Amino acid sequence: MDKNSIFYDPSLKRRHFKSKLFKYFTLSSLVVSLLFLGIFLLDMVLKGSSAVQQTYIQVEVSYNQESIDNYRSIVDKKYLNLLSRAALREVPEQMQANPSLMNTKEVVWILADDQVDMYMKKYYYKIGEKDLSTLEELQKNGMVDKKFNTIFFTHGDSKTPEYSGILSAFIGTILTLAVTMLVAFPIGVATAVYLEEFSKQNWWSEFLEININNLAAIPSILFGLLGLAIYINLFGLPRSSALVGGLTLALMTLPIIVVSSRAALRSVPASIRQAGYALGLTKVQVVKDHVIPLAFPGIMTGNIIGLAHAMGETAPLIIVGMIAFIPDSPSSVMEAATVMPAQLFTWAGMPERAYIERTAAGILVLLSVLISLNSLAVYLRKKFEVKW
Amino acid sequence: MATFETKNKHAHLQEDIIKYLLILAAAISILTTFGILFSILFEAIEFFKLKSFVYFFTGTEWTPGVENSQFGALPIFAGTFMITAIAMAVALPIGLGSAIYMSEYATPNARNVLKPLLEILAGIPTVVYGFFAAITVAPFIVKISAAVGIEASFNSALASGVVMGIMIIPYISSLSDDVITAVPDSLRKGSLALGMTKAETIKDIVIPSAMPGIISATLLGISKALGETMIVVMAAGLRPNLSWNILEDMTTVTVRIVDALTGDQAFNSPATLSAFALGLALFVVTLILNIVSVRLIQKFKEKYKMSSL
Amino acid sequence: MAKNKVKIEVKDLNLWYGDKHALHGLNIELYKNKITALIGPSGCGKSTFLRCLNRMNDLITSVRVEGEVVIDGKNIYDKDVDEVSVRKRIGMVFQQPNPFPKSIYENVAYAPLKHGIVKKGSSCDELVEQSLRSAGIWNEVKDILKEPGTGLSGGQQQRLCIARTIAVKPDVILMDEPTSALDPISTEKIEALMLELKKEYTIITVTHNMQQAARIADMTAFFHLGDLIEYDETEKIFINPAQKKTEDYITGRFG
Ligand SMILES: Nc1ncnc2c1ncn2[C@@H]1O[C@H](COP(=O)(O)OP(=O)(O)OP(=O)(O)O)[C@@H](O)[C@H]1O
Ligand SMILES: [Mg+2]
């Protein structure tokens, strides 16, 4: 360009370069965040995918009185260290349930010990030399195989890693969240209805509003302190129970439900209300029969999001004792229970490598449930989205 | 006429009952806040009856289990501060950078995809982050440090700080993106019409205009980091450690709360009650951060006359 | 008209918003140290045309421009012309006053500092004062230079925006309905200011206010549906237009 032109400005080159640099900085921050998400999910899949299968060994089992008395004599002694103790302990029960088996022998697939499983999955393992040669022998004869890990989905926690599953934690989660939603749903929606439809703009409604905002920002662990001090110490509710856990989570979920329900109520146009009043309906009737039904999909969406939030919460539940060892699924909200994230926390702290794999698998299960819930919320919102 | 009147009265009563039920429900949120405040406060007072208030905030020895136990929380506060600072050092530039890209450079369609994608990070349970920090990130840091000849702890502040930062990214980016998008376009045009480049416009005009909202998002992020529990319980240390070395293990307020309340000490022992003193400090600080944050965002809304954010 | 010096020469200018053909082959010569008013009914393309003159349209992704806009002998749509340098030389004032959320001083000093026209310090102070004086607002703000520009009244804000524009020392000032958001007294001040500024600058302004065009413009261009219908000395346009459409518009028969 002509140096005499009024549009000649050599300093711009530098400024454009800086501008580009800035753009690439922002782009790379976004890429880095998404990369984190990707690495993180990939890491979980890599660590957890091996838990889909579990190693089994084909051995001859002898059903007789001796094995009922001592499970160690069910199989040949040399296999004992290779098999899951917990699985062997179940065999006598099977015999008692099915007496016709008595005094017979049978070749069956028995769950392998976690170290054998680690060996099969090519992780670090600790197996004695003698046991290892037995195992290699078995492997050569095709007596060792990996099968789909049903135990993980059908059993509760166990001190033997190969025998532990998430069922009891899953049931615990359902019980806890049932309590949570039974409490938080009516109170949350009622609060939203009051604030949107009944309260006048005054200090009281403002105070309520600020309060709900603050409640949403209080660190979750402090709700645990409340649960401990009030539900357990003051009211004497059973520690570790789904009831206490659920009540604690209910207070945490409340602001999420209130905020989203209010948004749903607000989206119902004033004309609907006026039409109701014009028909001579009272305020309660208008709200109950006309406003709430129209806002309901939005309210449900908010509740599902609140539910998903509560489902991932761990810290306050630890404080109220929901990290107990729970091998059997709780059958009532008063019994000691654990929830999925708390179960993952417990497993993550275990020394055995096999628990790591299970933790990652549990995380994948938990994330799947959460993603499903959130997708459901998005779907509901899209489906019932009405442009007024 | 008579039936009409009785019906009316009946309806009135019903209306009133329902209204009071609604008020009662709404009051629960207040009860909860005060429930938390008082349950923490009372136990904290119990604690301070047993142990020195001043030493709690200034002392450096935290020895709950032993005889003649001492409760100087300074190293715990310091550890919390360090890990929070690391988290913000990760989350603030990345979160703000992402927000700027989404609001200023990306097409609206891309933004509609990117924003929810980032928000997935906020939806991941913190126990999952904790696992990631403890099992993947911490050993990685140890390995890297060893490679350059530095010793790092498996419970390094760096590991939990970085992972916490990742968790906080969406809190920063989402709110910042909202406020940056809300900055009126006329300001951008005014700057560009003066012959400013796009980046100059963003840095000098847009970001300063959105500053109250960005500060608000930052305070919210800090509040999240201070109160975050699972990541530090799983990946940070238990040892109160007054140090600047982020490769060393450090502990936080939340870790010590969990530790104090999951042990089998008697409930009214100072070791257990110390959890409530720490909880009180956490409550007060996060409450202040939240109030300031809400104020700032309100100011921003008023300035640009926005109804919803 | 021979004594008029051509500052901007527009040749066969076409503009599309996506498929929408918004400017249809415009040809026009705009004169130095004159005020040219662009008039025409809403949506006829006045703003679009104005934005072509400082390449602000480049910011709209769907826009496609053909033709030439030659300013001081250089087509600003040439490949080797940087649009940022165009905007630096061709200043623009908007309909809504849009001061930056900075102090009054910084509002004016911002661009000159970035462009390296002045360095921080007394030369910058001088430029700020001079620009504010030229914009006729110095006396009102000289004691509150550190206050935010957004705190001024609408009319003051607009003059601040003009000060900010002339601080960059442009060749041309484009104004898109600069007074339509202002009260009559502020409008009067801006008009007086424009008459003052044309001594140094070439001014092109869009207005819906016929009286305003008649009062201040030397030249007037009438646009209709993306076409330049008539362009002549203001007096001629208002007293004796050549085109029926122009006459209809000016007499208020449509628009
Ligand atoms: N960003 C855009 N994208 C698509 N079409 C546009 C855009 N801006 C303007 N248009 C269209 O181009 C035509 C000219 O618009 P322009 O704003 O230039 O008119 P105008 O004469 O300035 O009108 P007004 O007097 O109302 O300001 C109009 O039909 C308008 O709808
Ligand atoms: Mg216009």
Side-chain angles (χ1 to χ4, degrees), chain C residues 25-117:
Chain C
L26 302 187
N27 286 287
I28 189 171
E29 289 179 344
L30 301 164
Y31 302 121
K32 196 170 172 164
N33 297 109
K34 298 283 174 212
I35 297 178
T36 303
L38 311 180
I39 60 170
S42 191
C44 66
K46 305 177 298 288
S47 301
T48 303
F49 174 68
L50 201 69
R51 286 197 298 265
C52 285
L53 302 181
N54 69 341
R55 290 187 61 175
M56 281 296 271
N57 278 327
D58 292 22
L59 300 172
I60 305 165
T61 42
S62 67
V63 160
R64 188 161 59 86
V65 183
E66 273 175 17
E68 294 185 9
V69 175
V70 179
I71 302 180
D72 278 358
K74 183 74 190 169
N75 176 14
I76 60 169
Y77 283 93
D78 270 354
K79 279 222 172 57
D80 62 346
V81 176
D82 187 329
E83 80 260 23
V84 172
S85 77
V86 173
R87 294 184 201 133
K88 182 176 148 191
R89 308 303 318 201
I90 317 293
M92 190 170 207
V93 176
F94 298 82
Q95 178 176 5
Q96 285 291 339
N98 56 352
F100 303 134
K102 297 173 178 289
S103 75
I104 293 169
Y105 182 95
E106 287 169 326
N107 258 283
V108 181
Y110 169 57
L113 285 172
K114 279 280 159 177
H115 288 309
I117 295 171

Side-chain angles (χ1 to χ4, degrees), chain A residues 5-318:
Chain A
S5 166
I6 56 168
F7 302 119
Y8 176 73
D9 186 349
S11 75
L12 272 178
K13 217 173 155 184
R14 237 178 72 92
R15 285 168 60 196
H16 277 303
F17 176 71
K18 276 178 150 176
S19 188
K20 272 234 172 67
L21 225 56
F22 182 75
K23 179 177 176 178
Y24 289 130
F25 159 71
T26 63
L27 177 60
S28 50
S29 359
L30 186 70
V31 169
V32 167
S33 339
L34 294 177
L35 215 61
F36 276 142
L37 184 63
I39 290 176
F40 171 81
L41 291 178
L42 188 71
D43 188 46
M44 291 306 135
V45 171
L46 287 180
K47 289 206 165 76
S49 57
S50 56
V52 171
Q53 290 189 315
Q54 192 73 26
T55 306
Y56 285 77
I57 298 177
Q58 210 174 23
V59 285
E60 194 185 56
V61 175
S62 23
Y63 301 111
N64 50 40
Q65 191 54 47
E66 199 190 341
S67 357
I68 291 183
D69 297 339
N70 178 9
Y71 73 90
R72 295 173 140 270
S73 53
I74 293 170
V75 292
D76 191 329
K77 247 203 173 77
K78 68 177 177 185
Y79 300 137
L80 217 48
N81 284 338
L82 298 176
L83 296 172
S84 165
R85 300 268 152 102
L88 287 178
R89 273 191 212 112
E90 295 242 306
V91 174
E93 276 173 41
Q94 284 168 18
M95 277 188 265
Q96 274 156 351
N98 191 355
S100 65
L101 284 174
M102 217 46 180
N103 296 320
T104 60
K105 287 186 174 187
E106 196 183 6
V107 177
V108 291
W109 288 100
I110 299 246
L111 184 66
D113 186 69
D114 63 318
Q115 292 301 342
V116 174
D117 191 49
M118 291 295 103
Y119 166 83
M120 287 297 286
K121 289 170 179 167
K122 306 198 165 46
Y123 290 128
Y124 173 80
Y125 59 89
K126 241 170 38 198
I127 304 178
E129 224 166 277
K130 230 171 98 194
D131 292 330
L132 194 60
S133 61
T134 318
L135 180 59
E136 276 162 358
E137 174 94 20
L138 279 168
Q139 208 179 354
K140 226 179 274 161
N141 299 333
M143 315 282 265
V144 186
D145 199 9
K146 288 192 284 186
K147 293 171 187 296
F148 181 73
N149 189 355
T150 43
I151 288 176
F152 184 66
F153 299 100
T154 55
H155 282 69
D157 198 7
S158 165
K159 296 285 183 201
T160 44
E162 72 275 9
Y163 211 62
S164 58
I166 49 161
L167 184 68
S168 60
F170 187 75
I171 304 286
T173 287
I174 289 178
L175 286 176
T176 307
L177 292 183
V179 174
T180 300
M181 292 320 282
L182 278 175
V183 175
F185 175 75
I187 296 179
V189 175
T191 304
V193 169
Y194 174 74
L195 285 173
E196 274 309 305
E197 307 287 337
F198 289 92
S199 83
K200 297 177 188 65
Q201 276 298 317
N202 55 19
W203 68 269
W204 164 246
S205 65
E206 208 163 288
F207 184 56
L208 273 174
E209 182 121 34
I210 293 172
N211 228 288
I212 288 163
N213 266 336
N214 280 333
L215 210 53
I218 292 176
S220 65
I221 189 172
L222 298 182
F223 286 87
L225 295 189
L226 168 117
L228 182 62
I230 296 195
Y231 298 146
I232 296 176
N233 285 348
L234 194 66
F235 297 165
L237 296 178
R239 198 181 150 85
S240 303
S241 66
L243 181 64
V244 167
L247 287 174
T248 306
L249 290 184
L251 298 179
M252 278 186 56
T253 317
L254 212 51
I256 301 176
I257 294 180
V258 173
V259 169
S260 54
S261 301
R262 286 185 72 181
L265 290 168
R266 216 174 300 145
S267 71
V268 177
S271 60
I272 299 277
R273 297 181 180 84
Q274 275 144 18
Y277 294 134
L279 290 172
L281 300 180
T282 64
K283 193 157 197 172
V284 169
Q285 285 168 326
V286 168
V287 170
K288 190 175 65 157
D289 300 334
H290 297 273
V291 178
I292 293 185
L294 283 172
F296 201 68
I299 293 176
M300 278 321 287
T301 307
N303 272 279
I304 292 171
I305 290 171
L307 183 73
H309 229 265
M311 185 177 270
E313 200 52 68
T314 326
L317 298 181
I318 292 183

Side-chain angles (χ1 to χ4, degrees), chain B residues 207-229:
Chain B
I207 299 296
S209 308
M211 203 39 102
I214 293 170
I215 295 176
S216 170
T218 307
L219 295 182
L220 216 69
I222 293 176
S223 164
K224 275 267 165 244
L226 292 175
E228 172 47 39
T229 308

